[in-house]
Amino acid sequence: DHLATSTSQITAVDTTGAGDAFAGAFCTKLLEGATLVDAATFAARVGAFAATSAGAQPSYPTTSSRLPEVTQK
């Protein structure tokens, strides 16, 4: 089995920490009760956001950050 989700189109600056951002967002959404698809879609947006600026932790979004829109499936 596999899971497919939509993604965001971004211009990557630095992918350091993007996977960690994805994992943290994915787990957070699951703990909040989201479905696997919804958690993965949200996590993909957070990971994409993290790749749009340099560094690991400094690139992570806050709750007020505007995440990239989902543009393709």
Side-chain angles (χ1 to χ4, degrees):
D1 293 338
H2 68 279
L3 173 71
T5 187
S6 300
T7 61
S8 302
Q9 292 293 321
I10 57 133
T11 300
V13 173
D14 182 0
T15 60
T16 304
D20 293 335
F22 176 94
F26 183 72
C27 291
T28 297
K29 283 298 184 183
L30 288 179
L31 289 171
E32 290 176 350
T35 66
L36 285 175
V37 172
D38 288 344
T41 300
F42 177 76
R45 293 175 69 202
V46 171
F49 182 95
T52 62
S53 60
Q57 291 177 338
S59 70
Y60 294 165
T62 64
T63 54
S64 63
S65 298
R66 187 170 183 276
L67 298 176
E69 296 299 321
V70 171
T71 56
Q72 68 181 17
K73 186 163 182 140

